[in-house]
Amino acid sequence: MRWLDETFQTKNHTCQNLYNHAHSTHQKQQTLSLPSWKLLTLTSYFCIAFVLSSNSQTNLAQLMAHPSSAPAPAPGHACSGTLGNHLARRLVEIGVRDVFSVPGDFNLTLLDHLVDEPELNLIGCCNELNAGYAADGYARAKGVGACVVTFTVGGLSVLNAIAGAYSENLPVICIVGGPNSNDYGTSRILHHTIGLPDFTQELSCFQTVTCVQVVVNNLGDAHEQIDTAISTALKESKPAYISISCNLSGIPHPTFSREPVPFYLAPKVSNYLGLEAAVEATAEFLNKAVKPVIIGGPKLRVAKAQKAFMEFADASGYPVAVMPSGKGLVPEHHPHFIGTYWGAVSTSFCSEIVESADAYVFVGPIFNDYSSVGYSLLIKKEKTIMVDPNRVTIGNGPSLGWVFMADFLSALAKKLKKNSTALDNYRRIFVPSGMPLMREKDEPLRVNVLFKHIQNMLGGDNTVIAETGDSWFNCQKLRLPENCGYEFQMQYGSIGWSVGATLGYAQAARDKRVIACIGDGSFQVTAQDISTMIRCGQRTIIFLINNGGYTIEVEIHDGPYNVIKNWDYTGLVDAIHNGEGKCWTAKVRTEDELTAAIAAATGEQKDSLCFIEIFSHKDDTSKELLEWGSRVSAANSRPPNPQ
């Protein structure tokens, strides 16, 4: 130790400053899994790096010969010094505890290292698409997800799910086992490719649906590549692509000789002058308005601004609505909440209040053809404050960048005069929704009766997952109790998403019982991973709505292609169950059968996966879908503009 002690004596002041800075930073900045011993580790490594750079006779070999000079790793985490171990520890550090995978010969050695990590649980899925959807659902509950597949045949299969995660601003780490490092730069043709000696096809496909791509085929810079990819995904809240050569995961290398140095993401700080200008201009605009309103959008999640949003809502007194894709991000038990703003298919009385306002604050919106109901919203730009994650635009006036949503909303809340005019108007015109008509004895179950019962099931320990289709519209009308979650994929709208997403979400949020509403057409796309839910011991309640086809497509444009082959859905799930694990199924045709099935699912079968098949008429849809479908159809069928 004498060589290191003597060197440190000459550099003591600098190292002490580094320690003080790290300690101060630890107090002030948001950290990722950074306990005090790791803070010391980080500081010590920085100090040692400084010494090494200052003393040409000191080298890494000398340092490795003095293992006592570095802090010991965490108890129970002896370092193997390999790329595979480093990646596993990084995933644990950022909050991943479950990784969804499909094995293939290019990723098997890497999977061994993930299995060896005691804090990681490797979950094998039935196919790569569902593994990607599961990582998407996991990221919604945990903030980050991960999946592992094999080269090209696996990568291109998971690609659709990664594109969906990109559209929803979810950091999913997509790890692919790649070719042997010796095969890069040669003319060899490998299996799992399209028969060309060019290994970039998969990479090219991922470039447009991930925020960062790295191909690790050299141990020398693997450490930096992996850390860069993961940190970029977390900072940008988008998926990352990491390809790792199949022969590298288990090879020791000096850069992986120690417990990974923890990293933290420095918080984004708004430009102070821009923030001040945006707040002043917005406050002046809103304080002059007579009946302003607030509408929350899906980018509240990526901006991590839900708390600041509610500060703004409380301080302003304005009524609060959500865009359909923002449902679940704003507490619906709040006294100012007035429902979903979705143009012509909004919650009753919500669109009247929003569209009659003389100022509307859209916070984190996404306007597309679906959320605008075929571009039919009656919103005027000059009345709009648009608050994006890092920009504020005021009517037709200034647009101020590097102003972050949470900072802006918190500061704005302190500048507003309370104004409840629009909220008072809403309360004057509001009439509670009517109840479904009384049924005849043994009448076939109607969908609106089904959702009346689902509404009564909801509590703070549930999360609703709505599949693309009529469930979008029926689930939007559910009033979520405090702490009840809600997820659906509106921007990408990939049918079948909900099966994998339910698997991932339920695995991440073990304290929640997921209630998934899935149409029969969507279920046929991804049904296999019911098997994985049973294997994982999940307690989800799935309502499978069997109406014989793609109902949402029927209302946009009907044709024989929207009719599907009917399955015995409960029979299929029973076959998958095969007596292993806890699973219970029921077929429901009447309200009495529904009541009995829900009682069983929430009673004696409360610890089982419950699959309830609901038989409904093919034309039994929500009125909102009928309106929305006709407007989207009109938007899709617009003739070409004159040349």
Side-chain angles (χ1 to χ4, degrees):
M1 284 294 291
R2 183 178 301 171
W3 66 272
L4 189 58
D5 291 338
E6 291 172 353
T7 310
F8 265 115
Q9 287 172 10
T10 63
K11 306 293 182 181
N12 181 59
H13 180 70
T14 302
C15 289
Q16 184 62 46
N17 286 345
L18 283 169
Y19 178 87
N20 291 340
H21 174 70
H23 181 74
S24 173
T25 302
H26 175 64
Q27 298 296 322
K28 294 179 180 179
Q29 294 186 332
Q30 179 182 5
T31 63
L32 293 176
S33 305
L34 195 60
S36 57
W37 77 266
K38 287 190 173 182
L39 179 69
L40 179 59
T41 302
L42 180 61
T43 310
S44 300
Y45 282 178
F46 282 160
C47 291
I48 291 170
F50 179 80
V51 172
L52 290 175
S53 67
S54 306
N55 188 340
S56 60
Q57 296 181 354
T58 302
N59 56 46
L60 188 60
Q62 287 178 295
L63 182 60
M64 295 303 294
H66 297 77
S68 62
S69 64
H77 293 300
C79 296
S80 65
T82 64
L83 183 158
N85 170 261
H86 176 81
L87 176 61
R89 290 305 303 154
R90 274 293 186 241
L91 293 175
V92 170
E93 266 192 333
I94 64 175
V96 173
R97 293 296 181 271
D98 302 273
V99 177
F100 302 92
S101 67
V102 177
D105 60 328
F106 284 125
N107 69 15
L108 298 177
T109 305
L110 176 60
L111 294 181
D112 287 339
H113 287 272
L114 300 183
V115 169
D116 288 343
E117 170 52 54
E119 292 187 59
L120 272 186
N121 178 34
L122 193 67
I123 297 177
C125 295
C126 298
N127 59 59
E128 291 88 356
L129 178 61
N130 276 340
Y133 286 153
D136 171 312
Y138 194 92
R140 291 166 184 268
K142 277 271 196 173
V144 62
C147 58
V148 183
V149 299
T150 197
F151 184 57
T152 306
V153 291
L156 298 190
S157 291
V158 79
L159 187 70
N160 187 53
I162 299 303
Y166 188 96
S167 75
E168 299 278 323
N169 298 299
L170 298 169
V172 170
I173 313 301
C174 182
I175 303 160
V176 176
N180 187 292
S181 61
N182 296 303
D183 292 327
Y184 282 92
T186 70
S187 59
R188 293 170 182 157
I189 296 176
L190 298 182
H191 68 289
H192 289 343
T193 68
I194 59 172
L196 298 175
D198 177 1
F199 305 154
T200 63
Q201 182 194 26
E202 178 185 82
L203 172 64
S204 299
C205 292
F206 274 93
Q207 284 173 338
T208 57
V209 297
T210 57
C211 66
V212 60
Q213 310 83 36
V214 297
V215 177
V216 179
N217 54 24
N218 173 22
L219 284 174
D221 58 0
H223 181 289
E224 180 182 358
Q225 285 184 292
I226 290 170
D227 286 359
T228 297
I230 292 175
S231 60
T232 302
L234 295 175
K235 285 186 288 189
E236 298 192 18
S237 199
K238 295 284 189 183
Y241 166 84
I242 303 175
S243 174
I244 298 176
S245 288
C246 60
N247 60 325
L248 299 185
S249 298
I251 301 175
H253 191 271
T255 57
F256 303 118
S257 61
R258 301 173 181 273
E259 178 83 359
V261 177
F263 64 88
Y264 56 84
L265 303 179
K268 294 178 179 178
V269 180
S270 296
N271 177 312
Y272 177 74
L273 293 179
L275 174 63
E276 189 176 55
V279 169
E280 291 296 332
T282 304
E284 181 181 3
F285 186 95
L286 293 175
N287 286 334
K288 289 179 180 177
V290 176
K291 43 185 181 179
V293 297
I294 308 168
I295 305 96
K299 291 184 180 178
L300 276 167
R301 189 206 303 268
V302 66
K304 298 177 174 59
Q306 288 104 311
K307 182 179 177 182
F309 181 88
M310 295 319 300
E311 287 177 28
F312 171 43
D314 289 335
S316 67
Y318 306 164
V320 176
V322 291
M323 299 184 74
S325 49
K327 188 176 178 70
L329 301 177
V330 174
E332 298 187 8
H333 65 282
H334 192 276
H336 297 180
F337 185 75
I338 63 171
T340 298
Y341 175 63
W342 199 353
V345 296
S346 298
T347 305
S348 297
F349 308 104
C350 181
S351 64
E352 291 84 353
I353 295 300
V354 171
E355 293 177 350
S356 66
D358 57 346
Y360 7 78
V361 185
F362 280 91
V363 182
I366 294 178
F367 294 103
N368 61 25
D369 51 340
Y370 277 14
S371 65
S372 67
V373 197
Y375 312 111
S376 65
L377 300 183
L378 301 180
I379 295 296
K380 297 179 179 177
K381 184 179 179 183
E382 63 269 18
K383 297 181 180 180
T384 305
I385 305 290
M386 203 72 70
V387 186
D388 290 311
N390 58 1
R391 176 172 294 275
V392 175
T393 304
I394 303 157
N396 290 321
S399 183
L400 298 156
W402 212 250
V403 175
F404 293 103
M405 185 183 291
D407 295 341
F408 172 76
L409 295 176
S410 293
L412 180 61
K414 300 176 176 64
K415 297 282 188 178
L416 293 178
K417 299 173 184 175
K418 203 147 194 167
N419 183 344
S420 63
T421 302
L423 184 60
D424 295 338
N425 288 346
Y426 172 77
R427 289 170 176 165
R428 273 190 286 271
I429 67 172
F430 176 74
V431 177
S433 299
M435 298 300 292
L437 296 172
M438 293 295 293
R439 61 185 171 89
E440 303 284 336
K441 181 175 173 56
D442 296 327
E443 176 189 347
L445 182 64
R446 299 193 305 271
V447 171
N448 57 12
V449 174
L450 165 65
F451 279 90
K452 177 188 74 173
H453 285 269
I454 292 176
Q455 176 69 76
N456 294 335
M457 294 173 66
L458 298 183
D461 58 349
N462 294 122
T463 290
V464 176
I465 292 184
E467 176 59 83
T468 301
D470 199 23
S471 292
W472 272 8
F473 304 92
N474 286 305
C475 289
Q476 277 291 329
K477 292 184 282 188
L478 296 172
R479 192 69 174 234
L480 304 180
E482 186 173 3
N483 297 322
C484 181
Y486 185 92
E487 298 292 344
F488 80 131
Q489 190 195 57
M490 185 170 192
Q491 175 60 40
Y492 200 57
S494 182
I495 66 168
W497 161 86
S498 65
V499 176
T502 295
L503 163 64
Y505 192 100
Q507 191 64 25
R510 304 295 287 190
D511 58 331
K512 298 271 190 182
R513 193 172 194 192
V514 175
I515 297 174
C517 299
I518 309 175
D520 50 353
S522 296
F523 184 74
Q524 288 193 7
V525 178
T526 50
Q528 306 98 304
D529 271 285
I530 291 287
S531 171
T532 312
M533 296 180 195
I534 297 171
R535 188 151 52 95
C536 292
Q538 295 181 0
R539 305 177 300 120
T540 296
I541 300 174
I542 296 175
F543 289 98
L544 187 285
I545 301 169
N546 183 349
N547 55 14
Y550 299 120
T551 303
I552 191 170
E553 315 290 9
V554 167
E555 303 309 330
I556 295 174
H557 184 92
D558 200 5
Y561 32 76
N562 290 325
V563 179
I564 61 176
K565 170 71 174 67
N566 192 35
W567 291 1
D568 178 359
Y569 292 98
T570 56
L572 173 67
V573 173
D574 287 337
I576 291 172
H577 176 209
N578 197 28
E580 299 177 5
K582 294 183 178 181
C583 178
W584 176 81
T585 64
K587 292 183 185 292
V588 167
R589 291 180 171 84
T590 67
E591 186 174 7
D592 288 338
E593 291 176 351
L594 175 65
T595 302
I598 290 175
T602 55
E604 64 266 26
Q605 300 296 338
K606 68 181 188 305
D607 294 324
S608 301
L609 178 79
C610 296
F611 184 91
I612 302 173
E613 182 179 358
I614 307 292
F615 291 87
S616 67
H617 192 277
K618 67 182 183 66
D619 293 323
D620 185 2
T621 68
S622 65
K623 70 179 183 64
E624 290 82 6
L625 174 56
L626 297 176
E627 175 72 26
W628 179 89
S630 64
R631 289 174 181 259
V632 170
S633 175
N636 286 351
S637 58
R638 287 168 295 160
N641 291 328
Q643 298 299 317

